[in-house]
Amino acid sequence: MASKKTEGGKEQASGGFTLADVTKLVDSLEGTEVRSIVWTRAGEKVVIRRGPAPVNMLAPVAAPAPVAAPVAAPVSPPAAAPGAAKAAEKPAEKPGHVVTSPFVGTFYRAPSPDSLPFVDVGSIVKKGQVLCIVEAMKLMNEIEAEAEGKIAEIHVLNATPVEFGEKLFRIEPA
Amino acid sequence: MGELPPGSEELVLAFLAEAADDFVSGEAISGKLGLSRAAVWKHVEALRRQGYGIEAVPARGYRLASIPDRLGALEIGPLLNTHDLGQVLHCAEELPSTNDRARELAEEGALHGEVVVAESQTAGRGRRGRAWSSPPGKNLHLSAILRPDLPPQRAPELTLVASVAACEACRKAGVEAGIKWPNDLLVRGRKVAGILTELSAELDQIHWVVVGIGVNLNAGPDDLPPELRDVATSIAVERGQPVPRALFAAALLAEMEHWLDRHAAEGFEPIREAWRERSVTLGREVRMDGEAGETTGIAEDIDASGALLVRTRAGIVRVVSGDVRLVARVDPAGG
């Protein structure tokens, strides 16, 4: 199952990881309970997820990863994602990934009242980037993008209450 | 005397700390640590220069009589009475904020119970990016990394757990603190401690929780900025004498663990009861700042998830977040 992909199709030559490093790492996970591991070295990052999903190798900041790992969204046939037919055909299901609130609280678009919002409509976000804060009882939860892409919609106004599971953002493939 | 093995000073101290109030002979130390008697003496002298009170009595040996008022692992570690909390301590002279450091450590895989402590913070934070200012070396800035087995929706309960624990630590230090919803600690209406909790979670799983607690311990009135003197106080000001900070830190961690354990075993109900008993909010008139302006009402209770229930003219309002201020009582007699 362990297929390996490297950024831009090249085998790693410069900097952090060699193929042998990764192979060794994968081998060492064999027979363990470890399902995923993130390994960073010399500015490069290897993400390994085991099980049904293939092993992906992503470069950190540089170019967007060739195949954006589908994260939470139900996986439709791979062809569906970018540059397929126009999106507006089925208005019920807008494309992309919807970020929802993990609990009842107040939605904040910026880290403090004086700062700029974390993101705006049109912002390009990376996976793991902070989108907003939901606060409940002085517990601050920074909500992160679970997929990369473009912020297509912000469903809630700043500093207003949100319910559990309420839609906060829609992220479209950029 | 030649080169000393690195860290043997700490070993001597740990040895003395372990013996607690008992004397340890120089011979026992030197034998155990493989040092010459002269080397042991040299370490004792060095430790004394750092502020450790070490008695030396002929024929009995050495005894650790007092520790300097520092928040290092050496000072806090021997005082800990916990199974998880603070068993790994990250102590620093200065950090931007202990919460920021704790978050980094959590992201790097730190274990449940690891604790960050700093003598001073250069960018201490309160709610919504507000500054938390505190002079170096006087107060306690502590952040605990937790990995509770709890659905994320219930994570806010932990902020009340922390407030009950911090309140108990203050009371055991002789200061009658009370809790303002959700988790500020007040004494005579002035703030003595604040708690800021941060969460990283997916929809169905908590990655980590960082509970940051700032307690004004030994700051005197002059250490507070003028604009805060009427609204803030410290443990030392309230009890009339300074508190050994390492002792307070260890007591706070013990309380936190106790209440976290109860929460894990029995759920929120005992926490709710303990919170009510220590509340200075319930029964008071409160003002909420909402989007639609200010609302006032009487704080009646907290519900089964910790939200504040306020009776307003429009009925009961359930407050989950935002600022809740106590409306000053018209109480000319004072107190």
Side-chain angles (χ1 to χ4, degrees):
Chain A
M1 58 130 203
S3 71
K4 297 182 190 68
K5 226 169 238 157
T6 59
E7 176 59 22
K10 284 183 296 187
E11 292 296 329
Q12 293 293 124
S14 60
F17 299 96
T18 63
L19 182 60
D21 290 335
V22 180
T23 312
K24 212 194 261 174
L25 180 62
V26 171
D27 288 347
S28 74
L29 297 177
E30 218 61 62
T32 71
E33 294 287 335
V34 179
R35 295 291 310 276
S36 76
I37 190 165
V38 180
W39 187 21
T40 314
R41 189 159 86 188
E44 287 180 342
K45 185 152 105 177
V46 171
V47 180
I48 294 174
R49 289 201 192 81
R50 302 170 69 227
V55 176
N56 287 337
M57 232 180 138
L58 307 175
V61 193
V67 186
V71 184
V75 186
S76 45
K86 283 277 150 57
E89 285 168 12
K90 283 187 180 168
E93 281 295 315
K94 291 187 181 169
H97 181 88
V98 174
V99 180
T100 58
S101 178
F103 46 60
V104 179
T106 301
F107 170 83
Y108 292 109
R109 288 188 51 198
S112 74
D114 316 327
S115 11
L116 292 171
F118 291 108
V119 292
D120 278 304
V121 171
S123 299
I124 302 293
V125 297
K126 288 178 290 192
K127 188 172 181 290
Q129 186 173 334
V130 175
L131 304 176
C132 67
I133 289 173
V134 175
E135 176 196 8
M137 295 185 255
K138 250 169 95 182
L139 173 91
M140 303 298 182
N141 186 9
E142 289 182 351
I143 310 290
E144 297 176 354
E146 291 162 0
E148 64 178 18
K150 191 171 86 177
I151 301 292
E153 273 184 277
I154 301 177
H155 296 284
V156 187
L157 289 173
N158 185 47
T160 55
V162 290
E163 294 298 322
F164 170 71
E166 187 168 340
K167 289 178 185 173
L168 305 176
F169 298 91
R170 184 167 60 85
I171 303 174
E172 279 178 354
Chain B
M1 172 86 237
E3 291 275 299
L4 296 174
S8 43
E9 201 170 287
E10 284 79 3
L11 290 175
V12 171
L13 180 61
F15 208 78
L16 291 173
E18 204 180 320
D21 280 342
D22 293 333
F23 278 89
V24 189
S25 73
E27 203 168 7
I29 303 175
S30 66
K32 195 88 173 181
L33 301 180
L35 299 166
S36 71
R37 299 280 295 270
V40 171
W41 174 246
K42 216 166 167 157
H43 291 319
V44 167
E45 284 291 281
L47 288 165
R48 282 175 169 168
R49 284 195 296 275
Q50 292 171 44
Y52 292 89
I54 299 173
E55 289 175 40
V57 175
R60 297 189 71 190
Y62 301 105
R63 189 177 80 95
L64 185 59
S66 67
I67 58 176
D69 189 32
R70 270 205 302 265
L71 290 172
L74 273 175
E75 288 80 21
I76 301 171
L79 303 172
L80 280 176
N81 185 21
T82 55
H83 45 83
D84 290 326
L85 251 62
Q87 290 302 321
V88 177
L89 281 166
H90 304 266
C91 296
E93 273 304 310
E94 183 180 287
L95 288 173
S97 95
T98 55
N99 261 36
D100 288 349
R101 181 69 190 122
R103 290 166 45 134
E104 282 171 17
L105 289 165
E107 288 293 330
E108 289 163 13
L111 300 174
H112 173 80
E114 293 195 24
V115 164
V116 178
V117 177
E119 289 284 6
S120 79
Q121 299 189 117
T122 54
R125 289 181 293 124
R127 184 179 165 273
R128 301 288 304 131
R130 281 175 210 154
W132 175 270
S133 69
S134 172
K138 302 232 166 146
N139 294 332
L140 176 64
H141 323 98
L142 176 152
S143 295
I145 298 164
L146 309 177
R147 297 188 187 274
D149 185 14
L150 205 64
Q153 307 87 271
R154 289 189 54 202
E157 294 171 14
L158 297 172
T159 71
L160 302 202
V161 175
S163 72
V164 169
C167 187
E168 274 309 283
C170 291
R171 290 186 178 189
K172 287 193 173 154
V175 172
E176 210 43 27
I179 310 169
K180 180 177 90 89
W181 188 90
N183 59 15
D184 280 340
L185 292 186
L186 306 185
V187 185
R188 295 182 302 118
R190 294 174 167 87
K191 185 154 163 172
V192 73
I195 301 173
L196 181 72
T197 309
E198 297 181 81
L199 166 74
S200 167
E202 284 169 44
L203 263 184
D204 57 350
Q205 193 200 352
I206 292 179
H207 299 309
W208 49 256
V209 175
V210 165
V211 181
I213 304 184
V215 188
N216 294 331
L217 287 182
N218 292 339
D222 296 344
D223 293 316
L224 293 167
E227 69 274 15
L228 292 184
R229 278 177 206 166
D230 288 338
V231 294
T233 186
S234 72
I235 297 290
V237 165
E238 296 300 325
R239 78 205 283 259
Q241 57 171 320
V243 63
R245 292 183 304 146
L247 207 59
F248 189 94
L252 174 61
L253 291 172
E255 289 294 336
M256 277 186 66
E257 191 162 88
H258 168 76
W259 291 102
L260 285 167
D261 285 353
R262 276 204 77 177
H263 183 247
E266 300 170 50
F268 186 62
E269 208 43 46
I271 308 302
R272 185 185 183 188
E273 197 49 48
W275 191 95
R276 282 183 183 125
E277 287 164 9
R278 291 160 183 79
S279 156
V280 294
T281 300
L282 299 184
R284 291 282 303 272
E285 186 176 7
V286 294
R287 178 179 297 134
M288 293 92 72
D289 298 333
E291 288 313 287
E294 291 184 345
T295 330
T296 58
I298 305 292
E300 291 214 324
D301 200 358
I302 52 170
D303 72 7
S305 67
L308 185 66
L309 303 174
V310 180
R311 180 174 295 283
T312 69
R313 273 191 282 181
I316 295 279
V317 174
R318 183 170 179 268
V319 184
V320 172
S321 55
D323 277 331
V324 169
R325 283 180 286 163
L326 301 177
V327 177
R329 266 191 286 230
V330 185
D331 189 1

